[in-house]
Each structure stands twice: as structure tokens, then as C-alpha cells.
Amino acid sequence: MLFVGDDWAEDHHDLEVEDDQGRVLARKRVGEGIAGMVKLHELVAEFLGDDDGPGQVVIGIETDRGPWVQALIAAGYQVFAVNPKQAARHREVISISGAKDDKTDAHTLADMVRTRRHQLRVTEPDSPLAAGVKVLARAHQGLIQER
């Protein structure tokens, strides 16, 4: 199993990959969008065995929505949405200073899904109905803005 902490910002994601013993295998910052997602897949592929698949990858991220999260789920990864308050409390447990920065947040999220995922909520893909409502809502919003 691989455990990935994904600390997302407006234009990038800070990632940390850990093994099942909590050893840090890699840290990387990737951009938002398709190019960033490709780099995330490449990073994960470096550490998966030949017989392992995306179901062996557990990702912690502080949101349960958006195209990035849906792309992670579609790729077959196990994605856990972590409440930011839970992450802050866990950060205090693993870091003496409790300092908050992107690298520490990615580490906190990776450690949480490795050690406490039984206390977290797995993120499910959008239902076809929910996806259709999103498309209609965006189209409606676009029409209003054009008008």
C-alpha cells in the first residue's frame, strides 16, 4: 500500500508518498490540472509493484469535491476527505511545533490515511444524477453571465 497526502492550493498540490511503515518515499509539488494529475500518476507508479494497482493507493486530501478529487477517484485510488480541523489536530500530535506549511500538511494527510483512515470518510464518485445536475447548473450559470 502507498499512502499519499495531497495538500492542495489554488494553483498547485504538495504531495507526500509514504509506505506502510510511514517512511517518506517522495515529496513533490505538482501543478493544478491535467499536467499535475499526470505527474501525480507518474509519482505513484514509481513506487507501485508490478502486481499492484491503483486500489493499493490511499490518498488523503482536505476536500471531497472538485474535478481533481473526481479524477483521483476515477483513476481507482482510495480517496479520503479529511476535515481541516481533524488535520490540524493530527498535525499537533505529529509535529512538536504544530507549524503549518504545505510540506507539513501533506505529511499530516499521508500519516492520517496511513494510521487513522478507519476514522475518516471515503469519498465516493458523483452519481450520474449529481453529475447531470452539475452540468445543468453550470450551463444555467453561463447563460446568466452571458445575458
Side-chain angles (χ1 to χ4, degrees):
M1 301 275 306
L2 291 178
F3 302 93
V4 179
D6 183 339
D7 181 57
W8 66 277
E10 194 70 27
D11 63 345
H12 67 272
H13 295 257
D14 284 283
L15 307 171
E16 178 172 299
V17 180
E18 294 182 2
D19 66 11
D20 58 354
Q21 300 299 310
R23 288 183 293 254
V24 177
L25 302 175
R27 290 187 177 109
K28 187 169 190 158
R29 177 173 281 184
V30 300
E32 179 67 23
I34 294 171
M37 186 59 64
V38 167
K39 289 182 180 178
L40 182 146
H41 294 321
E42 290 170 349
L43 180 66
V44 165
E46 286 180 41
F47 301 103
L48 282 179
D50 292 338
D51 296 331
D52 295 331
Q56 297 296 110
V57 179
V58 182
I59 299 178
I61 188 169
E62 289 182 328
T63 185
D64 62 352
R65 61 184 71 106
W68 185 270
V69 172
Q70 291 303 309
L72 294 173
I73 294 168
Y77 302 135
Q78 297 177 57
V79 180
F80 288 82
V82 177
N83 181 297
K85 287 186 180 185
Q86 282 179 302
R89 289 187 185 107
H90 192 76
R91 183 174 47 254
E92 292 170 356
V93 170
I94 64 173
S95 172
I96 294 172
S97 70
K100 180 171 175 29
D101 62 41
D102 294 340
K103 182 177 160 183
T104 303
D105 287 351
H107 175 71
T108 298
L109 293 165
D111 189 72
M112 283 188 78
V113 294
R114 184 178 62 81
T115 62
R116 298 175 57 190
R117 71 182 172 278
H118 63 282
Q119 298 172 329
L120 302 172
R121 179 176 52 88
V122 69
T123 304
E124 299 293 336
D126 287 342
S127 69
L129 179 60
V133 168
K134 284 181 185 181
V135 169
L136 289 173
R138 287 187 190 122
H140 182 252
Q141 183 181 30
L143 290 171
I144 290 172
Q145 289 172 347
E146 285 179 26
R147 189 177 74 186

